[in-house]
Amino acid sequence: MIPNQPPGSPVEHPHATAVLFLGAASILCCGAFGPVAWALGKRALDQIEESGGGFGGRAQVVVGYTLGVIGTILMICMAALFGFMLLGGG
């Protein structure tokens, strides 16, 4: 539990909004944010689970984490495509 917090009223995890923003940014504009959202989201999910209901914001973290994974995969695919274009001379 979080000290000085009444039972039954979870506090949003401090990184929930950041994970969501980084995950969305990895899809929309910068794939390099994907691994950051992925790692930060995993850590936040673990902390939410360990808090026993003290931390909220699980939905935001899950969405940001998922978008981070997808953004990372897209970044790798684009890098591979770019590499093939360089090698192929096209």
Side-chain angles (χ1 to χ4, degrees), residues 15-28 30-45 48 57-73:
H15 297 138
T17 305
V19 171
L20 181 61
F21 173 77
L22 290 170
S26 74
I27 296 286
L28 298 175
C30 183
F33 289 144
V36 177
W38 192 349
L40 196 60
K42 176 64 174 145
R43 188 178 333 153
L45 282 174
I48 289 171
R58 180 174 170 71
Q60 284 180 323
V61 173
V62 168
V63 170
Y65 175 80
T66 305
L67 290 174
V69 171
I70 294 169
T72 302
I73 292 169

